[in-house]
Amino acid sequence: MSTGNAEGSPASGSFLAERVSRMDGRCPVPLRLNFDVLLVVLSLVEGRPNIGRMMRTCRTMHRAGVQHILYGNIRICDFEKFLSLCCFMLDKNPPRFRHLRHLDLDGWDATSATTSAILAVNDTILEFFQKAQYLEKLTLQFRDSDMLLGNTRIPQAISSLTNLVDFTMYGMGREGCTMLNKLQSPLTTISVCFDLYDMNPSDPGHIFRRFKDSLQELHIDWASLGTGDTTYPHLIFLRVDACVRADIGCMFRAYPNLQGLLLRMVDENEEADDSQDPSIELCRQANIAAQAAGTWETLRCLSGSLVGLYKLAARSKVQRLFLGLLRSSHLTRLQAVLTDSQPRALSFVIDAPQFDSVRLGEFLAPAVETLTALKLDVHNMIDWHYKHPSVTVTALLVSLSSFPIQFLSVTLFWGTVGSLTFYSSDPHQPDDACHPPFSALDVEALAQEAMRAIPSLRNLALYTVNPWRQWHWEIKSGAQGDGDGRIVIPLDQDEGERVLERFFPDSS
């Protein structure tokens, strides 16, 4: 490849070696190589440390490397490093800011920066945000939001940014709310963790009304959904953790075109059984009545704990339903949620010693005509003498024979609470605990059993945890096969993951 105005013999590399050797750090000699070629060369370098090393070779390489070293998300976890970034960006070269699009200021507190240290460089930080007008994604994750937002001029500078589309803030107090209310950017994604010490969590519908015409995704920690009167016509995904109240009538009016909902209530207990709790039943009945005026026709994905979704009682047919832990005592509530949502794809966790595997089909009976994909995490973290994993899987497979399942994924975890270990060196553990239960697992035999047990099955995935291993199969009709002429064909990891993505695109 011709290098245009390069000097010296490119074959020997003597020209570059001579120039590097002549650099004394005070007056580096510019590298006379076509600038566009340098940009291409730097685009092939992996990792910011390596780009930084090349930038230190000469002035021209330093100038060419700016856009590459600032490409993608810039995550800063230390105040001194953030100050260094500010100085780098402001060092007589304002055009550098056009390359800074994603900035993540993550988690420093008084151990890495005192308030007085921040006050001493307030002007530098202020100028940085005043010139960072090309920022599209900004994340502020502080244990103490006053460390950056205590000076009113800095929030004002952030509020003046006009190109932000994605904003995240954790530990958001009064200053953060004020800054958001003045923000000039048309945000499409907001992720906020409100102050958990506030005993009266707010309804996000009130706080973010400034962005009602642009907001598409909303992620909230510590909120109440039930008092908002603002409509967000473009919001398609809502995630609420630590939700105090969920009034589905108000939610439907506020977010009429919702496609994905993840809801976790503050009072839910995944281990609670189906015993009658008057408050839970009252909440469910109120939400059922509220849907007489209408409910989501657009909802495609629903996720949460069984108790939370039972209370929500969303009467919307969904493509994918994600639940938490299931035990045999959860039959009534699980069947109610399945009747409400009629999912085509379902994912949940089974506590194997507390779940009667042969009854799985009975539990899923309301979805017997709609369920085409099932993703099971089967855990045993208590009983070391519990039956071998293959016995549990076989029982689960037999119970699913009447379902139109085309894709089945099973993840097996036989371990101890708080550990990813399948065997123990503890002398007080029984002898059979010292042998990993997966050592005798015949995965090919399990694949054949799945094919025989579920006539509609087309794809199967099996995972084990610690050691992490995975197997994927496709089931096809063939001239030679078992029973009905079908055969099991192994797939490589990439093919298997593509199949999983097709049925569970939200699983990550």
Side-chain angles (χ1 to χ4, degrees), residues 420-438:
L420 289 178
T421 305
F422 293 108
Y423 52 92
S424 174
S425 58
D426 186 347
H428 299 291
Q429 292 285 1
D431 292 339
D432 59 349
C434 299
H435 301 282
F438 298 142

Side-chain angles (χ1 to χ4, degrees), residues 72-91:
N73 186 48
I74 305 296
R75 186 182 182 199
I76 307 294
C77 300
D78 179 85
F79 174 70
E80 294 299 328
K81 291 181 179 179
F82 175 55
L83 184 59
S84 176
L85 174 67
C86 291
C87 295
F88 172 78
M89 300 298 295
L90 294 168
D91 186 20

Side-chain angles (χ1 to χ4, degrees), residues 235-256:
L235 191 79
I236 60 175
F237 182 81
L238 175 64
R239 172 173 179 161
V240 185
D241 288 294
C243 184
V244 175
R245 175 188 177 189
D247 184 326
I248 199 169
C250 290
M251 292 170 63
F252 174 65
R253 290 191 294 273
Y255 317 113

Side-chain angles (χ1 to χ4, degrees), residues 413-472:
F413 174 29
W414 256 236
T416 57
V417 175
S419 171
L420 289 178
T421 305
F422 293 108
Y423 52 92
S424 174
S425 58
D426 186 347
H428 299 291
Q429 292 285 1
D431 292 339
D432 59 349
C434 299
H435 301 282
F438 298 142
S439 59
L441 189 65
D442 189 341
V443 295
E444 295 297 333
L446 283 179
Q448 294 289 338
E449 283 191 49
M451 179 186 67
R452 290 191 295 268
I454 308 175
S456 58
L457 193 63
R458 296 293 177 266
N459 289 94
L460 174 66
L462 177 65
Y463 303 85
T464 60
V465 181
N466 191 24
W468 174 256
R469 298 186 66 186
Q470 57 182 298
W471 300 266
H472 304 269

Side-chain angles (χ1 to χ4, degrees), residues 234-359:
H234 304 293
L235 191 79
I236 60 175
F237 182 81
L238 175 64
R239 172 173 179 161
V240 185
D241 288 294
C243 184
V244 175
R245 175 188 177 189
D247 184 326
I248 199 169
C250 290
M251 292 170 63
F252 174 65
R253 290 191 294 273
Y255 317 113
N257 298 309
L258 204 61
Q259 296 181 17
L261 173 62
L262 189 155
L263 183 67
R264 295 192 178 99
M265 307 298 292
V266 294
D267 59 348
E268 60 193 30
N269 180 4
E270 289 191 342
E271 297 186 2
D273 59 25
D274 279 355
S275 58
Q276 293 296 315
D277 183 332
S279 64
I280 292 178
E281 293 302 321
L282 284 174
C283 183
R284 176 174 172 81
Q285 293 306 317
N287 279 332
I288 290 175
Q291 295 175 80
T295 189
W296 291 295
E297 298 291 339
T298 56
L299 197 62
R300 296 291 178 267
C301 179
L302 185 60
S303 179
S305 77
L306 180 60
V307 176
L309 296 185
Y310 178 79
K311 291 166 63 176
L312 184 67
R315 299 292 180 91
S316 301
K317 295 182 180 180
V318 300
Q319 293 180 357
R320 296 175 297 280
L321 175 64
F322 294 85
L323 298 173
L325 181 69
L326 293 185
R327 292 180 173 176
S328 291
S329 57
H330 296 159
L331 174 62
T332 302
R333 288 177 182 166
L334 174 61
Q335 291 191 336
V337 171
L338 292 177
T339 301
D340 292 337
S341 57
Q342 301 179 43
R344 297 179 60 187
L346 175 63
S347 175
F348 57 89
V349 179
I350 289 177
D351 183 359
Q354 302 294 328
F355 190 88
D356 189 353
S357 301
V358 298
R359 296 182 62 198

